Amino acid sequence: MSAADRLTDTLYGLGWSTVKKLPEPVAVRLGRTIADLAWKQRGKGVQRLEANYARVVPGATAERLAELSRAGMRSYLRYWMESFRLPAWSAERVRTGFDPKDVHHLTDGLAAGRGVILALPHLANWDLAGAWVTTELRTPFTTVAERLKPETLYDRFVAYREGLGMEVLPHSGGSAFGTLARRLRDGGLVCLVADRDLSASGVEVDFFGETARMPAGPALLAQHTGALLLPVTLWYDDSPVMRGRVHPAIEVPGSGTRAEKTSVMTQALADAFATGIADHPEDWHMLQRLWLADLDPAKGPA
């Protein structure tokens, strides 16, 4: 393991071991302080965040984008402070920490014996939403985690999410899709963060007026298993409670090839994500390149 990898692993380890012991008001202030310091440094992540927000809020002035990126960094650090502390939260704190609307789309699907796929963008705190599902609804679910470097950091994330009641599969290796399909055919629940896919298998979608790629997995799983595909959007307000909405199911088209159906469904998913992101752009934690024009300068302005 390189020195940089050891440092990264150590810092995350300190976060989970130290931040979770802090009183909540102290953790909130610490997160905001770190966010403001990072924002003032104007590093690559902050600059990318502003460039992404410029797509979401067209016509925004430089001052408005700066305001959004500052709020975005505060939201991002709120996610991390909550995530570091989640393993120490009581069941009651988890239950009262999330207030989603239209959960009946999820519970009705599960009650009918159908598998359900929840697909989310990188909005607010998807880990808290998952912990709420396992705690309030008493429903276990399966998810997929991208392999991180160093391997010890990936192991930390897996242990953290398994501690919240999730079954975590590695993204690489090729076996995840089959396992997810089996869980869904058994009437289970699968949750996937699905607003960014840079692989060759990603589906091109129109996203805020430009082309991006999103994963085909959610749409393909729905077609293969008959499971419901439900978009979910999350957001913060000025309270300690995260808000959210479960959107109506994305239907499988009645005609077309598998690729055509997947394209239509993934575009519908992107449209649902865009609705939530446009309403709460500061809670979209996309500090990486997403649109093809940014990934390939030959296709447009970087």
Side-chain angles (χ1 to χ4, degrees):
M1 186 188 301
S2 69
D5 285 347
R6 282 197 299 272
L7 177 60
T8 299
D9 183 61
T10 299
L11 290 174
Y12 277 99
L14 285 172
W16 270 300
S17 64
T18 303
V19 174
K20 70 179 181 181
K21 299 177 183 178
L22 297 175
E24 191 158 343
V26 175
V28 170
R29 288 196 299 272
L30 175 62
R32 179 162 291 200
T33 298
I34 295 172
D36 288 348
L37 287 172
W39 178 76
K40 289 177 182 177
Q41 292 295 316
R42 300 286 303 165
K44 290 183 179 179
V46 173
Q47 293 178 49
R48 174 49 46 196
L49 194 61
E50 288 187 9
N52 290 340
Y53 287 159
R55 262 62 171 253
V56 177
V57 189
T61 64
E63 291 77 12
R64 173 60 177 148
L65 291 175
E67 290 173 358
L68 276 174
S69 66
R70 184 176 189 180
M73 291 303 295
R74 288 181 172 185
S75 175
Y76 185 48
L77 263 295
R78 175 173 172 175
Y79 160 78
W80 279 111
M81 291 298 112
E82 287 178 348
S83 294
F84 286 143
R85 293 174 50 76
L86 261 177
W89 279 16
S90 67
E92 181 64 18
R93 179 67 182 88
V94 171
R95 283 193 290 266
T96 60
F98 182 38
D99 180 26
K101 301 176 182 178
D102 300 328
V103 180
H104 66 90
H105 293 304
L106 167 59
T107 54
D108 289 351
L110 293 172
R114 294 185 67 175
V116 176
I117 306 156
L118 297 180
L120 307 87
H122 287 81
L123 274 169
N125 192 336
W126 47 97
D127 285 330
L128 172 55
W132 185 89
V133 167
T134 61
T135 303
E136 175 66 16
L137 301 185
R138 299 179 183 272
T139 301
F141 66 87
T142 304
T143 189
V144 174
E146 181 180 359
R147 283 202 174 275
L148 303 172
K149 292 183 179 180
E151 189 74 15
T152 51
L153 180 57
Y154 171 77
D155 292 340
R156 286 186 189 276
F157 270 96
V158 170
Y160 155 64
R161 290 186 169 124
E162 288 180 340
L164 299 177
M166 311 176 192
E167 179 188 22
V168 183
L169 306 176
H171 185 272
S172 59
S175 63
F177 187 92
T179 302
L180 295 174
R182 286 194 295 274
R183 300 290 183 269
L184 292 168
R185 290 193 183 101
D186 290 339
L189 176 63
V190 164
C191 299
L192 301 170
V193 180
D195 58 344
R196 185 172 185 260
D197 188 342
L198 307 184
S199 71
S201 62
V203 178
E204 291 193 1
V205 296
D206 181 276
F207 197 51
F208 292 102
E210 293 190 41
T211 303
R213 286 198 194 102
M214 293 189 181
L220 287 173
L221 283 167
Q223 293 175 61
H224 274 277
T225 67
L228 289 175
L229 174 55
L230 303 177
V232 177
T233 53
L234 310 170
W235 65 92
Y236 290 128
D237 56 19
D238 293 330
S239 77
V241 179
M242 184 176 71
R243 312 296 174 177
R245 180 189 174 200
V246 182
H247 296 250
I250 293 174
E251 301 294 338
V252 178
S255 61
T257 65
R258 179 179 296 172
E260 288 168 345
K261 292 178 180 180
T262 301
S263 178
V264 170
M265 295 174 72
T266 306
Q267 182 62 61
L269 198 61
D271 292 342
F273 290 169
T275 298
I277 292 167
D279 287 342
H280 305 278
E282 68 279 3
D283 292 323
W284 189 40
H285 307 150
M286 187 54 67
L287 280 74
Q288 300 86 24
R289 296 175 187 269
L290 175 72
W291 282 273
L292 299 193
D294 292 337
L295 295 168
D296 183 358
K299 293 185 178 181

